Amino acid sequence: IVYSINQNSGKKFDRLDQYLSQAGIDGLVCMLPENVVYLTGTYPVHGVSVAVYLPGGKVELLHPECEEFWLESGFSQVTLFGWGHLSDDPLQKTYEDFLSMIAEKYDLTGKCFGVEKDISVCAPAYRSSEMILPDAAFHTLISQCFTDCRLQECGLMITAVAHYYAGRFGWMGRNT
């Protein structure tokens, strides 16, 4: 299921665009819950969502159907996927299909994408008994789907930008 939500990027994305431009980064692929929240306003309850950011406030969110109730309006494109049932595609395939679609849709040839490479694991958001998703496997998948792109670690950069503005402009810059 794919649908659009009215986007209100405000000053937050203008500042992020400025920062990315200075760093020579053309877009972001985020999975850490704090980065997904910063980009979309939606908290990934199970920790399996992926947000892709492109300058100008374009955000694509891959989000499980079981969390549709918690979607926050404030980002542009949402792709919902089935997760947690035996009939659902494996998570790895879901990620691969989504990232390949993004690479094709936006023609990312020669672009530099920021990724969360330095985080050892992306822990589930609230249940310690659920699986954890190793970043090495996700980083490899991004490399396979974004074949003509350069990847640069910037996971902590996104969090740092968000936290810096949280103190000055309200929670995660959402009140600007």
Side-chain angles (χ1 to χ4, degrees), residues 114-137:
V115 296
E116 301 158 331
K117 184 174 157 184
D118 65 343
I119 310 299
S120 59
V121 294
C122 180
Y126 78 103
R127 292 184 184 168
S128 62
S129 63
E130 290 183 11
M131 65 180 165
I132 55 175
L133 305 167
D135 74 313

Side-chain angles (χ1 to χ4, degrees), residues 20 23-30 39 50-55 58-60 98-118 138-139 141-155 157-158:
L20 293 176
I25 298 173
D26 300 306
L28 301 168
V29 178
C30 301
L39 293 174
V50 176
V52 176
Y53 178 80
L54 295 157
K58 288 184 223 126
V59 181
E60 297 261 357
F98 177 72
L99 293 171
S100 296
M101 179 271 298
I102 296 293
E104 185 177 321
K105 180 178 180 177
Y106 292 105
D107 186 24
L108 304 179
T109 305
K111 303 287 184 185
C112 178
F113 263 75
V115 296
E116 301 158 331
K117 184 174 157 184
D118 65 343
F138 190 65
H139 184 264
L141 182 62
I142 295 169
S143 300
Q144 292 168 351
C145 296
F146 289 14
T147 54
D148 297 322
C149 295
R150 291 178 296 118
L151 301 180
Q152 179 176 326
E153 188 285 314
C154 70
M157 175 197 76
I158 304 161

Side-chain angles (χ1 to χ4, degrees), residues 15-73:
R15 291 189 300 267
L16 184 57
D17 287 348
Q18 230 175 7
Y19 197 85
L20 293 176
S21 177
Q22 291 170 359
I25 298 173
D26 300 306
L28 301 168
V29 178
C30 301
M31 190 174 188
L32 287 173
E34 60 267 31
N35 293 334
V36 173
V37 169
Y38 180 71
L39 293 174
T40 68
T42 296
Y43 187 80
V45 176
H46 291 92
V48 294
S49 298
V50 176
V52 176
Y53 178 80
L54 295 157
K58 288 184 223 126
V59 181
E60 297 261 357
L61 176 65
L62 178 67
H63 199 68
E65 288 175 346
C66 61
E67 296 179 23
E68 184 176 13
F69 178 76
W70 294 289
L71 282 172
E72 177 71 37
S73 62

